Amino acid sequence: MDKETCSFGCRGSRDKVGVLIAQLGTPDAPTPSALRRYLRQFLSDRRVIEVNRVLWWFLLNCIILITRPKRSARLYKRVWTDEGSPLLSITRKQAQGVLHRLRKEFGDIEVEFGMRYGSPSLEAALDSLISKGCSKILLFPMYPQYAAATTASTYDAVFPHLLRKRWVPTLRVAEPYYAHPRYIAAQAQIINDHLAGLDWKPERLILSYHGVPQKYVAKGDPYCCQCVETTAALTPLVNLDSTSIIHTFQSRFGRDPWLTPYTDETFEELGEQGVRDIVVAAPGFTADCLETIDELGTEGLEQFHEAGGGRYSVIPCLNASEVWLDAMAAIIRDELGSWVVGEARNVRDCPVSCPVKKVA
């Protein structure tokens, strides 16, 4: 084929595989103005708040965004680091660690991360992958358990953005890995390593998951069941008697009933019952954030002590630990499948130059 007979707009470039790591999000700074922007985006999501939109618009704009940003900013200041938001810095390290592992095995592959709310956005991360020549993209949500308010909301951002492209990349979505052996093994190792480092033996281990309203589950959300399955898979691997492990839900908001038992009430009940020493882990979070560092680490400690409890320790999330980065890379490798097997991942260069000028 010569240049004159090629009239279909050849690509002239190689296909590349990209991985988009999707995290929930974080404000840009621990300030009321930054929290107002973040909360407006987060609480305007129909997946997160499923109520009458007119009523919610009034509550959000006339009450919540006036009163809550200042308080939330104070909380974020308590967890902010020299690298900024813990969630942002940890997610960046996770992306870098996974990229390093995948490139060692597969060579020319790209990894980006994006936030559903805040920056860098999922849309910007997708555009970056596409600009680097990725025509095949794996979406990897950092939520082990599926919930409409997290996983499906990520789809809401990613799918429409891709569909606006002239050349829509081939997309694969990693399935929830709440019971994946590599995820469970990584969680168990993080928990057991922490337990081994204590000079005391806890009487209870609390496995605290982020809660959702009960009505979401009643509508068909599988989140509760998947959390329970995670606990069931973890329990035999943890170096504690199974009777000392308690499954709870945290971070409820509003007046509707959420999944129970509530983590904060459990802390109070244990203290009142005379339980002296407990540890807490958050298997639903793959990176430490406000909910784990402050809600569990600071507020949980205060609640337990005020109820008469004694020693208290919070186990770090998976974060950028070697065991989790190895597990992430393994799960991603399985999800990539044929894209990284032999020639399936190396579409050859077009042998001719395209005579059609590209239109911006």
Side-chain angles (χ1 to χ4, degrees):
M1 179 184 291
D2 60 26
K3 180 176 179 178
E4 285 68 32
T5 61
C6 178
S7 60
F8 299 105
C10 293
R11 296 181 291 112
S13 63
R14 295 168 70 88
D15 286 330
K16 291 176 71 174
V17 172
V19 177
L20 173 58
I21 293 174
Q23 187 53 276
L24 186 72
T26 182
D28 296 324
T31 63
S33 59
L35 263 299
R36 188 171 293 107
R37 291 193 302 272
Y38 174 73
L39 291 173
R40 183 186 301 278
Q41 185 183 15
F42 174 51
L43 296 176
S44 294
D45 190 335
R46 292 172 181 263
R47 296 278 193 180
V48 175
I49 305 295
E50 297 182 15
V51 298
N52 178 279
R53 302 313 298 177
V54 174
L55 174 61
W56 182 246
W57 184 95
F58 174 81
L59 292 174
L60 179 62
N61 290 278
C62 298
I63 299 176
I64 296 173
L65 292 180
I66 294 174
T67 61
R68 191 168 179 182
K70 188 174 182 179
R71 176 182 179 275
S72 295
R74 288 197 299 269
L75 298 179
Y76 272 97
K77 283 182 180 178
R78 300 201 312 210
V79 305
W80 218 254
T81 71
D82 292 340
E83 296 179 338
S85 160
L87 183 68
L88 179 62
S89 62
I90 292 168
T91 305
R92 182 182 294 112
K93 292 172 185 176
Q94 290 172 330
Q96 292 168 346
V98 167
L99 175 63
H100 174 71
R101 284 160 172 76
L102 294 178
R103 281 191 172 172
K104 281 181 63 177
E105 188 170 0
F106 303 119
D108 197 15
I109 194 168
E110 300 290 344
V111 176
E112 297 281 355
F113 72 92
M115 302 290 178
R116 177 62 180 91
Y117 317 105
S119 60
S121 68
L122 291 171
E123 293 85 353
L126 283 167
D127 289 343
S128 178
L129 289 173
I130 292 171
S131 71
K132 293 176 180 178
C134 296
S135 61
K136 301 172 182 177
I137 297 175
L138 172 71
L139 173 61
F140 188 85
M142 295 298 284
Y143 322 117
Q145 300 85 14
Y146 176 99
T150 52
T151 316
S153 180
T154 296
Y155 302 163
D156 289 342
V158 169
F159 297 169
H161 187 73
L162 288 181
L163 291 176
R164 288 192 286 269
K165 303 296 181 181
R166 167 66 64 177
W167 181 2
V168 179
T170 303
L171 181 69
R172 286 180 178 170
V173 178
E175 65 178 324
Y177 42 93
Y178 57 94
H180 193 288
R182 294 300 297 264
Y183 158 72
I184 295 297
Q187 280 284 6
Q189 182 170 330
I190 293 294
I191 293 172
N192 287 332
D193 286 350
H194 187 87
L195 294 175
L198 298 174
D199 59 4
W200 48 278
K201 184 177 181 180
E203 298 173 60
R204 299 288 188 275
L205 166 64
I206 312 300
L207 297 181
S208 180
Y209 298 80
H210 199 293
V212 299
Q214 292 181 15
K215 65 182 180 182
Y216 292 9
V217 175
K219 292 178 180 179
D221 200 309
Y223 178 72
C224 181
C225 293
Q226 293 184 1
C227 290
V228 170
E229 291 186 49
T230 297
T231 293
L234 267 176
T235 297
L237 303 181
V238 172
N239 295 333
L240 285 174
D241 188 275
S242 61
T243 59
S244 67
I245 298 174
I246 302 175
H247 177 112
T248 66
F249 295 95
Q250 66 182 86
S251 307
R252 67 186 187 275
F253 171 77
R255 297 181 179 179
D256 288 340
W258 282 42
L259 295 178
T260 57
Y262 298 136
T263 300
D264 56 353
E265 292 184 357
T266 299
F267 291 154
E268 295 170 359
E269 291 168 1
L270 289 175
E272 292 168 356
Q273 292 168 6
V275 174
R276 295 292 301 164
D277 307 319
I278 66 173
V279 291
V280 186
F285 297 84
T286 50
D288 274 311
C289 54
L290 183 70
E291 286 82 359
T292 62
I293 300 171
D294 193 68
E295 183 179 353
L296 294 180
T298 301
E299 295 179 1
L301 174 64
E302 294 173 355
Q303 290 160 351
F304 185 57
H305 282 174
E306 288 174 0
R311 287 175 291 195
Y312 179 99
S313 181
V314 177
I315 301 173
C317 291
L318 294 167
N319 294 333
S321 62
E322 294 295 313
V323 65
W324 175 230
L325 294 179
D326 289 343
M328 276 185 71
I331 297 171
I332 289 171
R333 183 192 309 118
D334 291 344
E335 294 288 350
L336 290 174
S338 63
W339 289 356
V340 292
V341 176
E343 288 299 313
R345 63 187 176 92
N346 283 328
V347 178
R348 295 168 179 79
D349 291 340
C350 179
V352 296
S353 298
C354 181
V356 180
K357 290 185 178 180
K358 287 182 170 57
V359 179

